[in-house]
Amino acid sequence: MNEIQLYELAHARTGDKGNRINISLIAYRPEDFDLLVAQVTESRVAEHFAYRRPARVVRYLLPKIGAMNFVLDDVLDGGVNDSLNLDMHGKTLSFHLLALPILVACQRT
Amino acid sequence: MDRLLIGCGAGFSGDRVDAAGPVVRTLIERGGPAALMFEMLAERTLATAQLARRLDPELGYEPLLELELRPVLADCLNHGITIVGNFGAANPRGAAQMIRRLARELGLVPPRIAVVSGDDLSSKAGRQVIRDCLPGGFDDDRFVCANVYQGAFEIAGAIKAGAQIVVTGRVADPSLALGPAIAHFGWGRTDWDLLAAATMAGHLLECGTQVTGGYFADPGKKDVPGMHDVGFPIAEISPDGACVITKASGTGGLVDARTVKEQLLYELHDPAAYITPDVVADISEAEVTELGPDCVRLSGVRGHARTATLKANVFFDGGWFGEGEISYAGPNAQARARLAMDMMQKRMGKVLDLRFDLIGVLSIIGDDAGRLLESIPDGQSTDIRLRVAGKHEDVRVIDRLLRDVTALWTGGPAGGGGVRVAKRQRLLTQSCLVPRDQAPATFEFLA
């Protein structure tokens, strides 16, 4: 097995509402979807964002478009009007998710 | 029944004012019934507009409205392209009057302009409605404004009654596209699948270029041609609700399955329950199909009965926000930046909570409490900007913080440069659900 970044297999975009974000995660190739479902779990995403203390992480699956949607509660330090962050919307966090390590069969690289 | 084309001229307040021209030219080229939507409100924008209106009752509508409409108003009116926009913000009537003045100045036949209202619950009566709905109490002294998200049926009603331009305040973003579709196809209030399908078309349009290659490019991974000139989207809606997303002719950018999927899920939570004032849309079984270059179909959207409540955003005065920055470069830059950080913490950290960023080391994905920054060891970066940010009820405390950052010019670590400080009023947002009958929408024509 070989470790690569999620970035190699999928693209993503963050949206925000109040103190909650969603991050879409979309497989480039439909055949990778099951691999992503197996490895990019709610608990791994919660762990990856643990320093932001998410109150809840929920994953929704959209197999017909090879995508999933992660919803993370209370990760914006209050949200767009309350946070002291330069990125008040958390828009950059999609690429933080894409840094997640993924194990693939050796021949994939 | 003909298909309906809906173009998008803006995806937020402050969007490119040269966007709508190519969209309108394309709508005219393709012929047939068409509408042009402008989505120009965000959670924050409306409250800012309410503050502007407090200072001057003539203001409070979209500040870029004239720049947005001037290049396309004549073409839209002459070719029967209905304009729908939430550019009324906190003052839809003011926006409508401005458009009438603009039309006069351009020598056009006075257009029929409708104003949709009912979203603004900032009045004494509206405040009472919010008071009853808001969990966790209501502070009269700090209240700024409250607006409920209205839906598409009043927009459709205005168009059916002959409006050439419909000005709204807060309506749900996708309703700006759904309104013209309802008016055109004659859909009813319980045609859930149709309403949901056109709602998702509106959702794909509402952020402007976010579906045509904007906010998508990642060099070498997701390349987008002509990024300097990304065209704005156009949706072609069929009588059965299915939509095809394209973009303005002769522009840069791209529409493919990837751009459409990213925007489809943007700001969504449960894909089976995307709640708008008009319908609960379900995209869990939706499909995205590339039909050709810059041409993608969305199908399989289902709809469920709308909810009994409308969402309201309520804003309260939140005191003050201040931030200051200073840069350090060259050998030992990180240690000097961290020393400045330590000085700030010791001098002001007991008075207010501070957030620190080391721009060039960690400045974005960190949290306000600084847990991640603490865990990052000093690396190789020799070009660092320290940022300090804080919030407080009392502007004098913020002023003191900013003076302290400024004092780093002479009293801080060696070689600090480029001090900048800024402060602004803060607004706190809360959301609640309001029973529909407590916030009825209406429309009327500008006399």
Short mmCIF file of all heavy atoms in Angstrom, two decimals, chain B residues 396-440:
data_model
loop_
_atom_site.label_atom_id
_atom_site.label_comp_id
_atom_site.label_asym_id
_atom_site.label_seq_id
_atom_site.Cartn_x
_atom_site.Cartn_y
_atom_site.Cartn_z
N ARG B 396 -12.89 51.82 23.29
CA ARG B 396 -11.64 52.34 23.87
C ARG B 396 -10.62 51.23 24.11
O ARG B 396 -9.42 51.44 24.00
CB ARG B 396 -11.94 53.09 25.17
CG ARG B 396 -12.65 54.42 24.93
CD ARG B 396 -13.14 55.03 26.22
NE ARG B 396 -14.09 54.14 26.89
CZ ARG B 396 -14.75 54.44 28.01
NH1 ARG B 396 -14.56 55.61 28.60
NH2 ARG B 396 -15.58 53.58 28.55
N VAL B 397 -11.12 50.05 24.42
CA VAL B 397 -10.22 48.90 24.61
C VAL B 397 -9.58 48.51 23.28
O VAL B 397 -8.38 48.23 23.19
CB VAL B 397 -10.98 47.71 25.23
CG1 VAL B 397 -10.11 46.46 25.25
CG2 VAL B 397 -11.45 48.06 26.63
N ILE B 398 -10.40 48.53 22.23
CA ILE B 398 -9.87 48.21 20.90
C ILE B 398 -8.85 49.26 20.47
O ILE B 398 -7.78 48.94 19.95
CB ILE B 398 -11.04 48.11 19.87
CG1 ILE B 398 -11.93 46.91 20.21
CG2 ILE B 398 -10.51 48.01 18.46
CD1 ILE B 398 -11.23 45.56 20.18
N ASP B 399 -9.16 50.52 20.73
CA ASP B 399 -8.19 51.59 20.39
C ASP B 399 -6.86 51.37 21.11
O ASP B 399 -5.79 51.59 20.54
CB ASP B 399 -8.78 52.96 20.75
CG ASP B 399 -9.85 53.40 19.76
OD1 ASP B 399 -9.83 52.91 18.60
OD2 ASP B 399 -10.71 54.22 20.13
N ARG B 400 -6.95 50.95 22.38
CA ARG B 400 -5.73 50.72 23.15
C ARG B 400 -4.92 49.57 22.54
O ARG B 400 -3.69 49.65 22.42
CB ARG B 400 -6.10 50.38 24.60
CG ARG B 400 -5.00 50.68 25.59
CD ARG B 400 -5.49 50.38 27.00
NE ARG B 400 -4.64 49.38 27.63
CZ ARG B 400 -5.00 48.67 28.69
NH1 ARG B 400 -6.22 48.79 29.20
NH2 ARG B 400 -4.16 47.82 29.22
N LEU B 401 -5.62 48.52 22.12
CA LEU B 401 -4.95 47.39 21.47
C LEU B 401 -4.21 47.85 20.21
O LEU B 401 -3.05 47.51 19.98
CB LEU B 401 -5.97 46.30 21.11
CG LEU B 401 -5.47 45.17 20.22
CD1 LEU B 401 -4.41 44.32 20.94
CD2 LEU B 401 -6.61 44.27 19.76
N LEU B 402 -4.89 48.67 19.42
CA LEU B 402 -4.30 49.10 18.16
C LEU B 402 -3.11 50.04 18.39
O LEU B 402 -2.12 50.00 17.66
CB LEU B 402 -5.36 49.76 17.27
CG LEU B 402 -6.56 48.85 16.92
CD1 LEU B 402 -7.45 49.51 15.88
CD2 LEU B 402 -6.10 47.48 16.43
N ARG B 403 -3.20 50.86 19.45
CA ARG B 403 -2.05 51.72 19.78
C ARG B 403 -0.85 50.87 20.19
O ARG B 403 0.29 51.17 19.86
CB ARG B 403 -2.40 52.70 20.92
CG ARG B 403 -3.28 53.86 20.48
CD ARG B 403 -3.24 55.01 21.49
NE ARG B 403 -3.61 54.59 22.84
CZ ARG B 403 -4.87 54.52 23.30
NH1 ARG B 403 -5.88 54.86 22.53
NH2 ARG B 403 -5.10 54.15 24.54
N ASP B 404 -1.14 49.78 20.90
CA ASP B 404 -0.05 48.89 21.32
C ASP B 404 0.64 48.24 20.12
O ASP B 404 1.85 48.07 20.11
CB ASP B 404 -0.60 47.79 22.26
CG ASP B 404 -0.26 48.10 23.70
OD1 ASP B 404 -0.16 49.30 24.04
OD2 ASP B 404 -0.07 47.15 24.48
N VAL B 405 -0.15 47.84 19.13
CA VAL B 405 0.46 47.28 17.92
C VAL B 405 1.30 48.34 17.23
O VAL B 405 2.44 48.10 16.82
CB VAL B 405 -0.61 46.71 16.96
CG1 VAL B 405 0.05 46.20 15.68
CG2 VAL B 405 -1.40 45.59 17.63
N THR B 406 0.76 49.55 17.15
CA THR B 406 1.49 50.64 16.50
C THR B 406 2.81 50.92 17.22
O THR B 406 3.82 51.22 16.59
CB THR B 406 0.62 51.91 16.47
OG1 THR B 406 -0.64 51.58 15.89
CG2 THR B 406 1.27 53.01 15.66
N ALA B 407 2.80 50.77 18.54
CA ALA B 407 4.00 51.06 19.33
C ALA B 407 5.13 50.07 19.05
O ALA B 407 6.28 50.30 19.43
CB ALA B 407 3.66 51.07 20.82
N LEU B 408 4.79 48.95 18.37
CA LEU B 408 5.85 47.99 18.00
C LEU B 408 6.83 48.61 17.01
O LEU B 408 7.95 48.12 16.84
CB LEU B 408 5.23 46.71 17.40
CG LEU B 408 4.44 45.82 18.35
CD1 LEU B 408 3.70 44.74 17.59
CD2 LEU B 408 5.35 45.19 19.40
N TRP B 409 6.42 49.69 16.35
CA TRP B 409 7.33 50.42 15.45
C TRP B 409 8.66 50.69 16.17
O TRP B 409 9.73 50.43 15.63
CB TRP B 409 6.74 51.77 15.06
CG TRP B 409 5.86 51.85 13.86
CD1 TRP B 409 4.59 52.37 13.83
CD2 TRP B 409 6.15 51.50 12.51
NE1 TRP B 409 4.09 52.33 12.55
CE2 TRP B 409 5.02 51.81 11.72
CE3 TRP B 409 7.27 50.94 11.88
CZ2 TRP B 409 4.97 51.58 10.35
CZ3 TRP B 409 7.23 50.72 10.51
CH2 TRP B 409 6.08 51.03 9.76
N THR B 410 8.57 51.24 17.37
CA THR B 410 9.81 51.65 18.05
C THR B 410 10.11 50.80 19.27
O THR B 410 11.26 50.69 19.67
CB THR B 410 9.72 53.12 18.50
OG1 THR B 410 8.52 53.28 19.28
CG2 THR B 410 9.67 54.05 17.31
N GLY B 411 9.10 50.21 19.86
CA GLY B 411 9.32 49.51 21.14
C GLY B 411 9.29 48.00 21.04
O GLY B 411 9.41 47.32 22.05
N GLY B 412 9.14 47.46 19.82
CA GLY B 412 9.04 46.01 19.68
C GLY B 412 10.37 45.38 19.30
O GLY B 412 11.41 46.04 19.39
N PRO B 413 10.34 44.12 18.88
CA PRO B 413 11.55 43.45 18.43
C PRO B 413 12.18 44.17 17.24
O PRO B 413 11.52 44.97 16.56
CB PRO B 413 11.05 42.06 18.02
CG PRO B 413 9.76 41.88 18.75
CD PRO B 413 9.15 43.24 18.85
N ALA B 414 13.43 43.83 16.95
CA ALA B 414 14.20 44.53 15.92
C ALA B 414 13.63 44.29 14.52
O ALA B 414 13.16 43.20 14.22
CB ALA B 414 15.65 44.05 15.95
N GLY B 415 13.68 45.34 13.72
CA GLY B 415 13.41 45.20 12.29
C GLY B 415 11.96 45.03 11.91
O GLY B 415 11.68 44.57 10.81
N GLY B 416 11.05 45.40 12.79
CA GLY B 416 9.62 45.29 12.44
C GLY B 416 9.23 46.37 11.44
O GLY B 416 9.72 47.49 11.52
N GLY B 417 8.37 46.04 10.50
CA GLY B 417 7.96 47.03 9.50
C GLY B 417 6.53 46.85 9.04
O GLY B 417 5.93 45.80 9.25
N GLY B 418 6.02 47.89 8.40
CA GLY B 418 4.71 47.79 7.74
C GLY B 418 3.54 47.63 8.68
O GLY B 418 2.66 46.81 8.46
N VAL B 419 3.51 48.43 9.74
CA VAL B 419 2.39 48.34 10.68
C VAL B 419 1.11 48.86 10.03
O VAL B 419 1.10 49.90 9.38
CB VAL B 419 2.67 49.16 11.96
CG1 VAL B 419 1.43 49.19 12.85
CG2 VAL B 419 3.85 48.57 12.72
N ARG B 420 0.04 48.10 10.17
CA ARG B 420 -1.29 48.57 9.76
C ARG B 420 -2.28 48.17 10.82
O ARG B 420 -2.22 47.05 11.34
CB ARG B 420 -1.72 47.95 8.44
CG ARG B 420 -0.86 48.43 7.31
CD ARG B 420 -1.58 48.40 6.00
NE ARG B 420 -0.65 48.87 4.98
CZ ARG B 420 -0.72 48.53 3.71
NH1 ARG B 420 -1.68 47.71 3.30
NH2 ARG B 420 0.13 49.00 2.84
N VAL B 421 -3.21 49.04 11.13
CA VAL B 421 -4.26 48.71 12.09
C VAL B 421 -5.61 49.11 11.52
O VAL B 421 -5.69 50.01 10.68
CB VAL B 421 -4.04 49.41 13.46
CG1 VAL B 421 -2.74 48.95 14.11
CG2 VAL B 421 -4.06 50.92 13.30
N ALA B 422 -6.66 48.42 11.95
CA ALA B 422 -8.01 48.73 11.47
C ALA B 422 -9.02 48.30 12.52
O ALA B 422 -8.77 47.36 13.28
CB ALA B 422 -8.27 48.00 10.15
N LYS B 423 -10.16 48.97 12.54
CA LYS B 423 -11.23 48.54 13.44
C LYS B 423 -12.57 48.70 12.73
O LYS B 423 -12.70 49.47 11.78
CB LYS B 423 -11.21 49.35 14.73
CG LYS B 423 -11.58 50.81 14.55
CD LYS B 423 -11.58 51.56 15.87
CE LYS B 423 -11.85 53.03 15.61
NZ LYS B 423 -11.73 53.86 16.81
N ARG B 424 -13.55 47.93 13.18
CA ARG B 424 -14.89 48.08 12.63
C ARG B 424 -15.92 47.61 13.65
O ARG B 424 -15.61 46.85 14.56
CB ARG B 424 -15.05 47.30 11.32
CG ARG B 424 -14.89 45.80 11.47
CD ARG B 424 -15.35 45.05 10.21
NE ARG B 424 -15.29 43.63 10.46
CZ ARG B 424 -14.26 42.85 10.15
NH1 ARG B 424 -13.21 43.36 9.57
NH2 ARG B 424 -14.30 41.56 10.43
N GLN B 425 -17.16 48.07 13.45
CA GLN B 425 -18.26 47.63 14.30
C GLN B 425 -18.60 46.18 13.99
O GLN B 425 -18.57 45.77 12.84
CB GLN B 425 -19.49 48.49 14.04
CG GLN B 425 -19.54 49.75 14.89
CD GLN B 425 -20.87 50.43 14.71
OE1 GLN B 425 -21.12 51.00 13.66
NE2 GLN B 425 -21.71 50.37 15.73
N ARG B 426 -18.94 45.44 15.01
CA ARG B 426 -19.30 44.04 14.80
C ARG B 426 -20.81 43.86 14.86
O ARG B 426 -21.51 44.55 15.58
CB ARG B 426 -18.68 43.15 15.88
CG ARG B 426 -17.19 43.12 15.86
CD ARG B 426 -16.65 42.36 17.05
NE ARG B 426 -16.97 40.95 16.96
CZ ARG B 426 -17.65 40.28 17.87
NH1 ARG B 426 -18.11 40.87 18.94
NH2 ARG B 426 -17.88 39.00 17.72
N LEU B 427 -21.29 42.89 14.06
CA LEU B 427 -22.70 42.52 14.10
C LEU B 427 -22.78 41.04 14.45
O LEU B 427 -22.05 40.24 13.90
CB LEU B 427 -23.34 42.74 12.73
CG LEU B 427 -23.51 44.18 12.31
CD1 LEU B 427 -23.83 44.26 10.84
CD2 LEU B 427 -24.61 44.85 13.13
N LEU B 428 -23.64 40.71 15.38
CA LEU B 428 -23.83 39.31 15.73
C LEU B 428 -25.10 38.79 15.08
O LEU B 428 -26.13 39.48 15.07
CB LEU B 428 -23.93 39.16 17.25
CG LEU B 428 -22.67 39.57 18.01
CD1 LEU B 428 -22.86 39.36 19.51
CD2 LEU B 428 -21.46 38.79 17.53
N THR B 429 -25.01 37.60 14.52
CA THR B 429 -26.16 37.01 13.83
C THR B 429 -26.79 35.91 14.66
O THR B 429 -26.09 35.11 15.26
CB THR B 429 -25.69 36.28 12.54
OG1 THR B 429 -24.66 37.02 11.96
CG2 THR B 429 -26.85 36.09 11.59
N GLN B 430 -28.11 35.89 14.66
CA GLN B 430 -28.82 34.71 15.16
C GLN B 430 -29.89 34.36 14.14
O GLN B 430 -30.37 35.23 13.41
CB GLN B 430 -29.47 35.00 16.50
CG GLN B 430 -28.47 35.11 17.64
CD GLN B 430 -29.18 35.17 18.98
OE1 GLN B 430 -30.03 34.35 19.28
NE2 GLN B 430 -28.84 36.17 19.76
N SER B 431 -30.24 33.09 14.09
CA SER B 431 -31.29 32.66 13.17
C SER B 431 -32.44 32.08 13.96
O SER B 431 -32.24 31.53 15.04
CB SER B 431 -30.76 31.60 12.21
OG SER B 431 -29.74 32.15 11.44
N CYS B 432 -33.64 32.19 13.39
CA CYS B 432 -34.79 31.53 14.01
C CYS B 432 -35.82 31.25 12.92
O CYS B 432 -35.68 31.70 11.78
CB CYS B 432 -35.39 32.39 15.11
SG CYS B 432 -36.02 33.97 14.58
N LEU B 433 -36.81 30.47 13.29
CA LEU B 433 -37.86 30.11 12.34
C LEU B 433 -39.15 30.83 12.71
O LEU B 433 -39.57 30.82 13.86
CB LEU B 433 -38.07 28.59 12.34
CG LEU B 433 -36.84 27.79 11.90
CD1 LEU B 433 -37.08 26.29 12.08
CD2 LEU B 433 -36.48 28.10 10.45
N VAL B 434 -39.75 31.46 11.70
CA VAL B 434 -40.94 32.28 11.91
C VAL B 434 -42.11 31.61 11.19
O VAL B 434 -41.97 31.23 10.02
CB VAL B 434 -40.71 33.69 11.32
CG1 VAL B 434 -41.97 34.54 11.38
CG2 VAL B 434 -39.55 34.38 12.03
N PRO B 435 -43.27 31.46 11.84
CA PRO B 435 -44.44 30.91 11.13
C PRO B 435 -44.76 31.79 9.91
O PRO B 435 -44.69 33.01 9.98
CB PRO B 435 -45.56 31.00 12.15
CG PRO B 435 -44.87 31.07 13.48
CD PRO B 435 -43.56 31.77 13.24
N ARG B 436 -45.10 31.15 8.80
CA ARG B 436 -45.32 31.89 7.55
C ARG B 436 -46.34 33.02 7.68
O ARG B 436 -46.15 34.10 7.13
CB ARG B 436 -45.82 30.94 6.46
CG ARG B 436 -44.75 30.13 5.84
CD ARG B 436 -45.30 29.17 4.83
NE ARG B 436 -44.23 28.30 4.37
CZ ARG B 436 -43.42 28.61 3.36
NH1 ARG B 436 -43.58 29.72 2.68
NH2 ARG B 436 -42.45 27.79 3.02
N ASP B 437 -47.41 32.74 8.43
CA ASP B 437 -48.47 33.76 8.49
C ASP B 437 -48.04 34.99 9.29
O ASP B 437 -48.71 36.02 9.26
CB ASP B 437 -49.78 33.16 9.04
CG ASP B 437 -49.59 32.55 10.42
OD1 ASP B 437 -48.47 32.66 10.97
OD2 ASP B 437 -50.56 31.98 10.95
N GLN B 438 -46.92 34.89 9.99
CA GLN B 438 -46.42 36.05 10.73
C GLN B 438 -45.58 36.97 9.84
O GLN B 438 -45.19 38.05 10.27
CB GLN B 438 -45.54 35.58 11.89
CG GLN B 438 -46.25 34.70 12.90
CD GLN B 438 -47.22 35.49 13.74
OE1 GLN B 438 -46.82 36.43 14.43
NE2 GLN B 438 -48.49 35.16 13.65
N ALA B 439 -45.25 36.51 8.64
CA ALA B 439 -44.39 37.31 7.77
C ALA B 439 -44.82 37.16 6.31
O ALA B 439 -44.08 36.64 5.48
CB ALA B 439 -42.93 36.88 7.94
N PRO B 440 -46.04 37.60 5.99
CA PRO B 440 -46.52 37.44 4.62
C PRO B 440 -45.78 38.38 3.66
O PRO B 440 -45.48 39.51 4.00
CB PRO B 440 -48.00 37.82 4.72
CG PRO B 440 -48.09 38.71 5.91
CD PRO B 440 -47.01 38.27 6.86
#
